[in-house]
Amino acid sequence: MQNFYKKTGLNLYVWLAFFILPFYFISQYSKLWTMVTGIIIILVFFVCYLLAFITKGWQVYMWIGLLIAISITMTIAYDYAYFSLFLAFFIGNIKNKAGFFTLYSVNLGASFLTINYGFINQSSLLVSQLPFVFISLMASILLPISTYNKNKTEQLEGQLENANKRLDDLVKMEERQRIARDLHDTLGQKLSLIGLKTDLAKRLLRNNPDQAEIELNDLRQTASTALKEVREMVTTMRGTQLVDELFRAEQILKAASIEFELEGNPKLQDTSQLNENVIGMCLKEAVTNVVKHSQATVCTIIIKETQSDNILTVRDNGVGIERTRNKDRRGTGILGMKERLEFVNGCLDLRSRADKTGTQLVIQVPKLTRKPMKEDTT
């Protein structure tokens, strides 16, 4: 029963009424052999109809072709033109586009030709059914298109749901990688330093207690710094808005005696939380580079929105990257930004010269992350 409803959208009891109708129509004939032949043809039709439901592949087209031939025979021999309505319900469920339009055209063409043939021969029985024949013909035109579009919509909704699930899985995977990367960057160096200082303090404990005490104090300070960085990292994992990250950037720049300038609206519109987090993390890395390496006196942050993208520009009047490229690990930070931006289909443009014209970093991130869906043609 559920299979019938899924395929046709009609309750099984409605189909039972349709099933009885052709037998009632045949019973109006007076000749026994005509009735027997008609009943056999009807039974063959419904057997083929059932086989078309349960088979797959090329066999479905074979059974539908046979059903169309039976429909033509019933219309010409018995003036029963309603089997095309059964076929209209079924053909709409054909998923293959070429197969659907082929069967739709053949069934519709056969219905037109056989009904016109009956009218040309002035079949009194067919003429008396004219209103019902017209309704059946209109249903044969509209039902397959309606059913096909409905199934296609459901299919696309299913693909969209699957795509969203895959995107959620990718987000979780990327978040795990980000956490692992941040833990490595935050704790790896500090823990290595703690291990080295512990060994050094152990060696100095007997020969140079004063120096050992200094190393132990440094060890405690390093551990406190690591704990602070872990707490900051956990706060970042919860997700922040660009407005909050800009506030922290302003505080850091002012602490480094760098003038802060902001252009544009920091409240992004139509932007997912993931994309805004990526923009915030990139801004944090860019401002950190400005403070550590640029020797700038002014840092300008420009926020611009287009119909499809968010564009963040971080510009300073410092010494440029070329003069510091071999002296620091700024390239590692830029690489991290590129990795984050690639995940949301974003891009990074870096412009810098060693003539004290400063550095300009442009981050462009789509407002929505979209992935193509492959259409199922089976």
Side-chain angles (χ1 to χ4, degrees):
M1 184 178 293
Q2 292 180 350
N3 189 37
F4 268 85
Y5 182 82
K6 182 179 179 181
K7 289 283 187 179
T8 64
L10 295 178
N11 191 280
L12 180 60
Y13 301 109
V14 178
W15 278 109
L16 289 175
F18 281 141
F19 178 79
I20 296 171
L21 182 62
F23 292 101
Y24 174 79
F25 190 88
I26 292 297
S27 67
Q28 304 302 313
Y29 286 86
S30 58
K31 294 181 180 181
L32 180 61
W33 69 269
T34 305
M35 292 177 57
V36 172
T37 304
I39 291 172
I40 292 173
I41 294 175
I42 293 170
L43 291 174
V44 171
F45 179 88
F46 284 112
V47 169
C48 294
Y49 200 75
L50 179 61
L51 290 173
F53 265 101
I54 62 179
T55 55
K56 296 181 180 180
W58 64 271
Q59 295 180 357
V60 175
Y61 300 100
M62 179 188 70
W63 293 121
I64 294 179
L66 184 57
L67 290 170
I68 292 174
I70 295 174
S71 177
I72 294 172
T73 302
M74 287 294 294
T75 305
I76 295 175
Y78 292 91
D79 297 325
Y80 184 80
Y82 306 115
F83 274 152
S84 60
L85 187 60
F86 286 80
L87 290 167
F89 276 108
F90 189 87
I91 291 173
N93 291 282
I94 302 296
K95 295 181 180 180
N96 183 273
K97 187 175 182 179
F100 165 76
F101 282 106
T102 300
L103 293 174
Y104 174 74
S105 301
V106 171
N107 182 53
L108 194 59
S111 299
F112 269 108
L113 291 175
T114 52
I115 290 172
N116 286 329
Y117 176 80
F119 288 147
I120 291 172
N121 288 341
Q122 297 182 349
S123 172
S124 58
L125 187 57
L126 194 62
V127 171
S128 65
Q129 304 172 56
L130 182 59
F132 302 103
V133 171
F134 178 76
I135 293 173
S136 176
L137 196 58
M138 291 302 298
S140 297
I141 296 173
L142 299 177
L143 278 175
I145 297 294
S146 175
T147 306
Y148 180 81
N149 290 335
K150 175 177 173 291
N151 292 337
K152 184 62 67 174
T153 300
E154 291 177 352
Q155 178 184 349
L156 292 176
E157 289 175 352
Q159 290 177 348
L160 179 60
E161 184 178 355
N162 291 334
N164 288 333
K165 289 180 180 179
R166 290 196 297 269
L167 181 59
D168 290 340
D169 292 338
L170 289 174
V171 169
K172 292 176 182 178
M173 184 181 299
E174 172 63 18
E175 186 66 12
R176 293 191 191 101
Q177 293 177 352
R178 183 182 72 83
I179 292 172
R181 182 169 58 245
D182 290 346
L183 283 173
H184 179 270
D185 294 342
T186 301
L187 294 179
Q189 185 179 11
K190 296 293 188 300
L191 292 177
S192 297
L193 182 60
I194 288 173
L196 292 173
K197 284 186 173 293
T198 301
D199 292 339
L200 179 60
K202 185 177 180 181
R203 290 195 299 268
L204 293 173
L205 193 59
R206 293 181 180 178
N207 300 329
N208 195 343
D210 294 337
Q211 185 62 35
E213 184 178 358
I214 294 174
E215 295 296 334
L216 289 173
N217 289 332
D218 289 344
L219 181 62
R220 181 174 60 83
Q221 183 63 35
T222 302
S224 299
T225 302
L227 179 61
K228 181 181 178 181
E229 290 180 353
V230 169
R231 288 173 177 171
E232 291 177 352
M233 184 181 64
V234 171
T235 302
T236 303
M237 288 178 187
R238 295 172 184 168
T240 58
Q241 294 182 334
L242 182 59
V243 176
D244 300 328
E245 200 58 57
L246 282 168
F247 176 77
R248 283 191 285 270
E250 181 180 4
Q251 298 301 313
I252 294 172
L253 290 170
K254 286 183 177 180
S257 300
I258 299 175
E259 183 180 350
F260 172 79
E261 295 180 353
L262 175 64
E263 299 178 12
N265 185 4
K267 295 184 179 180
L268 303 180
Q269 303 294 325
D270 301 326
T271 303
S272 66
Q273 184 63 49
L274 171 64
N275 289 17
E276 187 167 356
N277 283 343
V278 170
I279 294 174
M281 287 186 287
C282 291
L283 173 62
K284 181 177 181 180
E285 182 65 37
V287 170
T288 301
N289 285 339
V290 170
V291 171
K292 288 184 177 180
H293 312 292
S294 69
Q295 302 177 27
T297 58
V298 178
C299 177
T300 304
I301 298 175
I302 304 170
I303 302 170
K304 180 180 178 182
E305 288 192 64
T306 66
Q307 187 173 1
S308 58
D309 299 302
N310 293 307
I311 303 173
L312 176 72
T313 302
V314 181
R315 185 173 61 206
D316 65 65
N317 64 344
V319 297
I321 287 182
E322 296 299 328
R323 293 179 58 182
T324 59
R325 187 179 296 276
N326 297 326
K327 297 179 182 180
D328 56 54
R329 299 177 66 248
R330 182 185 293 198
T332 305
I334 293 174
L335 180 61
M337 282 190 280
K338 287 182 177 180
E339 289 176 352
R340 290 186 172 100
L341 289 169
E342 285 176 0
F343 180 71
V344 293
N345 297 328
C347 60
L348 182 147
D349 182 25
L350 183 64
R351 302 171 187 173
S352 179
R353 290 181 294 176
D355 55 1
K356 295 206 173 189
T357 58
T359 301
Q360 177 172 292
L361 187 145
V362 181
I363 298 166
Q364 184 170 342
V365 177
K367 289 188 175 182
L368 295 176
T369 303
R370 301 181 183 272
K371 294 188 180 293
M373 295 183 294
K374 184 177 179 181
E375 183 177 354
D376 184 8
T377 59
T378 59

